[in-house]
Amino acid sequence: MTRFLEYTTRHYDKLIEALLEHLQMVGVTLVISIVLALVISLCIMDRKRISSWVMRVCSMIYAIPSLALFALLIPLTGLGSSTAVVVLVIYNQYILVRSFTEGLQLVDAGIREAAVGMGMTKWQVFIKVRFPLALDAMVAGIHIAVISTIGIATIGATIGAGGLGSILFDGMRTQNGVKIVWGTVLSVVLVLAVNGLLKLAEKKIKKGIYHMET
Amino acid sequence: MSIAVEFKDVTKKFAGAGANAVDHVSFQVEKGELVTILGTSGCGKTTLMKMINRLYDPTSGEIDVFGEDIARTDPVLLRRKIGYVIQQIGLFPHMTVAKNIATVPDILKWDKEKTDQRIDELLKLVNLDPEEYKSRYPAQLSGGQQQRVGLARALAADPQIMLLDEPFGAIDAINRSNLQDELLAIHRRSGKTFLFVTHDVTEALKLGTKVMIMDRGRIQQFDTPREVLDHPANDYVASLMKSVVEGLEFLK
């Protein structure tokens, strides 16, 4: 216990730095992932065969162990956090493209036909009808992606991406239990905090768009 | 009388289908008519209707709306001039009744005052109290009320043609009868051209100034309800009319 307190008081700046690095990695990843997934989803949502192929490819990539994918990308993008972000973005595509396209495809056909039949342009149908009605499913996908990104990002430390993983792996290499505990605790706290925020956002959306009390 | 809708030898064949969904159909609908299009499911009546607002394009033939070949119009602009009501109603669940009705006025960028005024006017027309229903969501309405809003929405921008695809199909008998009466009143007052798809023989005869009976993609008869009842053009029409009469005879 004294070792724990001693480490914490002496190195709290390192802990905060790692946490911030982690947050930054997750944040950058999310922004890129969501934009990319939106573009992909828009391209494939009305093409059933192509979308099922895209999903197959994404799920295959998702099945590659993260450590292996990090290692595979080193020759291409080198060491550091940018490689980690690339890997995390790739993983997220499975979760995000899936929930985005499914959400957009599941919007009631009658409602879509009414929108088209009344003279909305393709873009108006998307913005006014399809997107708001799919938003629920899309945010649920983003939620899963955030949580999974926070977890997988710790592996990024193996290629020098920093973040909470660096504390964890340091601890493992030097048999330092305190570091392992701190790395784990901070990851979990981060997940819980983000989880709470997203739940709040989901509730707001449900109320604002669908007028459902949850 | 001017011609509102004219089909000139129109055929629609869907990719992969064996027979033509609509098979060399020609007819004219005069302005101000309420034409009911009657037939069993799969007879091509909905396909025929959806070609008028270009949700489908014909495989061959020409369709004119007010004398203009619609193949040469922008489908989006064409649709804004044609009211459209479908069976599943298709109200937008995330928008209030007012917002739903304002769909086309909003697309056409009417100013707010004009739109608001129009919403009140339309809700009164379909017998819903504007103050009570304007800010409700579709989920807070009964089926009959939803369909009333659907009707109001289609009428919003004062279209010269209304397409109604089995709008009362999912509504109980009493409400359906009320809605039918209201539709008749709205039609009479508006002087617009209505095309109304249904598989209900009684509904077709009650509403139509003319009835178009379809089977296997072809028009079997296109005449006034009286003529169709008294002088069915062929065995198919005769058997269809017989089914209604027998239904009533049974009770006597």
Side-chain angles (χ1 to χ4, degrees):
Chain A
M1 197 63 207
T2 43
R3 256 186 58 204
F4 188 82
L5 286 173
E6 199 185 322
Y7 174 86
T8 310
T9 45
R10 204 178 325 150
H11 295 294
Y12 72 94
D13 53 331
K14 271 195 183 156
L15 291 175
I16 291 172
E17 197 193 314
L19 185 67
L20 290 179
E21 268 175 13
H22 207 84
L23 269 175
Q24 194 192 1
M25 204 175 356
V26 172
V28 171
T29 301
L30 276 179
V31 171
I32 300 173
S33 307
I34 291 171
V35 171
L36 185 62
L38 253 181
V39 172
I40 295 175
S41 304
L42 281 180
C43 294
I44 67 172
M45 66 180 180
D46 288 326
R47 303 186 177 100
K48 275 262 145 86
R49 275 185 55 184
I50 295 175
S51 71
S52 70
W53 271 107
V54 170
M55 286 326 304
R56 236 167 276 169
V57 172
C58 284
S59 67
M60 259 154 34
I61 295 172
Y62 195 69
I64 302 172
S66 46
L67 211 52
L69 199 53
F70 279 121
L72 278 171
L73 276 173
I74 291 174
L76 293 174
T77 50
L79 291 166
S81 63
S82 57
T83 302
V85 168
V86 171
V87 171
L88 293 169
V89 167
I90 291 174
Y91 277 129
N92 274 342
Q93 293 316 298
Y94 174 66
I95 301 168
L96 292 176
V97 172
R98 193 188 183 92
S99 64
F100 287 8
T101 44
E102 277 185 359
L104 290 164
Q105 283 169 351
L106 282 177
V107 174
D108 185 80
I111 292 172
R112 272 152 59 187
E113 197 194 280
V116 176
M118 277 189 297
M120 287 192 188
T121 60
K122 273 192 162 170
W123 181 242
Q124 284 168 334
V125 174
F126 181 76
I127 287 296
K128 291 185 168 218
V129 179
R130 260 183 117 169
F131 180 73
L133 290 176
L135 194 58
D136 198 20
M138 293 171 77
V139 172
I142 292 172
H143 192 155
I144 300 172
V146 177
I147 306 293
S148 117
T149 303
I150 293 174
I152 302 175
T154 53
I155 317 280
T158 54
I159 55 160
L164 291 172
S166 59
I167 295 180
L168 256 168
F169 283 103
D170 268 2
M172 277 158 78
R173 209 176 39 242
T174 57
Q175 304 268 320
N176 183 341
V178 178
K179 282 189 171 180
I180 298 177
V181 169
W182 264 122
T184 314
V185 167
L186 285 177
S187 296
V188 172
V189 167
L190 192 56
V191 166
L192 287 178
V194 169
N195 208 12
L197 276 176
L198 282 165
K199 276 237 166 91
L200 215 72
E202 280 173 16
K203 226 179 191 171
K204 267 230 152 84
I205 286 170
K206 280 216 172 102
K207 244 180 135 172
I209 294 186
Y210 313 110
H211 306 274
M212 291 189 303
E213 299 293 333
T214 44
Chain B
M1 270 299 220
S2 62
I3 305 298
V5 179
E6 179 169 12
F7 275 52
K8 296 175 182 165
D9 195 28
V10 172
T11 294
K12 175 68 184 177
K13 188 173 189 293
F14 288 106
N20 293 331
V22 170
D23 194 19
H24 298 283
V25 163
S26 300
F27 65 89
Q28 295 181 335
V29 175
E30 282 172 6
K31 186 171 173 292
E33 299 259 28
L34 197 170
V35 174
T36 48
I37 306 172
L38 174 65
T40 50
S41 56
C43 73
K45 57 190 191 301
T46 294
T47 308
L48 183 138
M49 177 173 275
K50 285 183 180 173
M51 285 193 283
I52 300 173
N53 61 359
R54 294 195 64 186
L55 287 173
Y56 298 145
D57 281 325
T59 313
S60 67
E62 181 184 323
I63 301 169
D64 292 356
V65 170
F66 290 112
E68 193 185 2
D69 179 1
I70 59 168
R72 273 180 237 146
T73 61
D74 177 349
V76 168
L77 296 180
L78 174 75
R79 288 173 195 142
R80 290 176 190 172
K81 288 184 248 164
I82 298 177
Y84 186 46
V85 187
I86 57 175
Q87 178 175 7
Q88 308 92 318
I89 304 168
L91 291 183
F92 304 131
H94 58 301
M95 295 183 191
T96 59
V97 166
K99 262 285 169 201
N100 263 288
I101 296 175
T103 303
V104 179
D106 281 352
I107 294 175
L108 296 174
K109 301 201 167 63
W110 287 15
D111 63 65
K112 203 179 165 321
E113 209 174 307
K114 186 178 168 194
T115 306
D116 288 344
Q117 212 181 330
R118 184 72 181 144
I119 291 165
D120 285 3
E121 197 180 298
L122 285 162
L123 280 171
K124 279 180 205 146
L125 184 71
V126 295
N127 283 327
L128 293 173
D129 176 20
E131 290 321 307
E132 191 180 342
Y133 291 99
K134 224 169 15 184
S135 40
R136 287 209 197 173
Y137 284 85
Q140 300 165 320
L141 303 175
S142 71
Q145 290 167 339
Q146 288 184 16
Q147 200 48 278
R148 287 193 161 88
V149 176
L151 201 58
R153 183 175 69 173
L155 286 161
D158 209 21
Q160 287 311 300
I161 295 177
M162 287 280 284
L163 305 179
L164 303 104
D165 190 358
E166 303 205 33
F168 309 145
I171 292 167
D172 66 85
I174 294 173
N175 270 307
R176 195 187 318 156
S177 176
N178 289 339
L179 278 165
Q180 286 167 351
D181 293 337
E182 284 163 31
L183 185 80
L184 279 175
I186 290 170
H187 172 251
R188 254 178 232 132
R189 255 177 291 162
S190 70
K192 294 181 169 112
T193 312
F194 281 39
L195 281 90
F196 188 107
V197 161
T198 179
H199 63 260
D200 181 334
V201 184
T202 323
E203 184 170 70
L205 294 173
K206 174 181 172 181
L207 294 180
T209 54
K210 282 178 101 179
V211 182
M212 178 186 294
I213 295 161
M214 286 192 71
D215 187 40
R216 284 179 224 155
R218 285 175 181 259
I219 296 176
Q220 304 299 318
Q221 190 166 5
F222 182 33
D223 217 324
T224 60
R226 193 73 260 164
E227 273 302 301
V228 172
L229 261 175
D230 293 346
H231 304 287
N234 56 34
D235 290 347
Y236 179 80
V237 179
S239 70
L240 211 57
M241 293 308 129
K242 218 174 111 197
S243 70
V244 179
V245 177
E246 271 174 1
L248 294 172
E249 289 291 322
F250 178 75
L251 293 171
K252 284 180 185 164

